[in-house]
Amino acid sequence: IDRYINGNWGTIIKGEPVYAKLLNAGLHIRIMDRFPGQTLIRGWDFGFNHPAVSFRLVDTYGRMNIASEMLGEKVDLTEFVPQVLAKTDSVFGKNVRILDYGDPRGHDKGPSAKETCFDVLRDFGVNAIGERGSRSYVEEGVKQVKKELSLLIEGIPQLTIDPVCSLIRAAY
C-alpha cells in the first residue's frame, strides 16, 4: 500500500515469466556460431535501479540469438554505457555491425534530468532508435517476441537464447 497508493519507495515484486508456454529449453537454448561482420543488436532498457542491455546476434538466415546480457545495479546511465561498450568490445570484438534499440521511455526526461536517456547514449556515440510517444509498445513487443520464438527457420527458432543468459532465461 505504501508503495502503490502513497507512491513511496518499496520492494519491487517479481512477476511471472512472460513466454513460459512457448519457451522449450531443448529448442530455444543454444549457442549461435559467430562470423566476421555479423550484426549485433543491443536492446537498451533504462532506469537507475537496474539498467539493462541484451545483446542479440543475427545470423545469415535472420535468426537471432540473445548471446549475452548485462544488468546494472543502482548505476547512472553515464557510468553504465561505458561498461556496455567495454563488454561489447571484449565479448564481440570490433568486427560486428551494431544496431541499438532503446525502450521508448528513454525519450522522456525525469523530473530532475537535463537530458533524456537517448541523449546520454548519443553523448557516447550510441545512436539508438526507439519509437517516441508509443504507448502500446509493450503489447507490440510481446507479440513480436512470441512470433520470433514460434517461427522456425531451417528447423531453428528465429529467436534463441544462449545458456549464459540466466536473467533473460528466467524472465522468459
Side-chain angles (χ1 to χ4, degrees):
I1 289 176
D2 201 37
R3 180 166 184 251
Y4 291 105
I5 304 296
N6 299 327
N8 295 320
W9 289 97
T11 305
I12 297 173
I13 299 167
K14 288 187 174 188
E16 294 296 315
V18 178
Y19 310 105
K21 292 179 182 174
L22 289 174
L23 192 68
N24 174 330
L27 189 62
H28 292 96
I29 307 302
R30 59 177 52 230
I31 298 169
M32 178 183 279
D33 292 333
R34 297 183 183 184
F35 56 88
Q38 192 166 19
T39 298
L40 174 67
I41 300 171
R42 289 187 297 215
W44 297 81
D45 192 14
F46 308 108
F48 173 75
N49 283 325
H50 298 290
V53 173
S54 66
F55 299 83
R56 284 185 179 201
L57 286 172
V58 183
D59 73 7
T60 55
Y61 294 99
R63 295 179 298 221
M64 294 168 280
N65 176 264
I66 303 174
S68 192
E69 63 191 357
M70 194 166 173
L71 182 68
E73 179 76 30
K74 296 196 183 307
V75 60
D76 190 73
L77 195 57
T78 57
E79 295 172 43
F80 187 64
V81 174
Q83 295 170 14
V84 171
L85 298 178
K87 180 169 185 164
T88 301
D89 286 346
S90 69
V91 174
F92 301 101
K94 301 263 186 212
N95 201 6
V96 290
R97 179 177 167 252
I98 299 172
L99 302 173
D100 289 285
Y101 293 88
D103 182 332
R105 299 308 305 219
H107 288 292
D108 300 342
K109 282 186 186 177
S112 61
K114 294 180 177 137
E115 295 182 293
T116 69
C117 293
F118 280 88
D119 293 333
V120 172
L121 290 178
R122 274 191 294 279
D123 291 345
F124 286 94
V126 175
N127 295 305
I129 60 171
E131 287 292 322
R132 173 177 253 140
S134 173
R135 295 291 177 228
S136 61
Y137 68 93
V138 173
E139 293 87 10
E140 292 168 14
V142 168
K143 273 195 231 177
Q144 180 64 31
V145 171
K146 284 181 176 181
K147 177 183 165 201
E148 293 169 354
L149 288 169
S150 301
L151 178 64
L152 295 180
I153 302 172
E154 299 282 319
I156 298 172
Q158 184 180 17
L159 178 62
T160 58
I161 304 168
D162 192 287
V164 300
C165 298
S166 58
L167 297 170
I168 289 175
R169 284 190 353 249
Y172 271 45

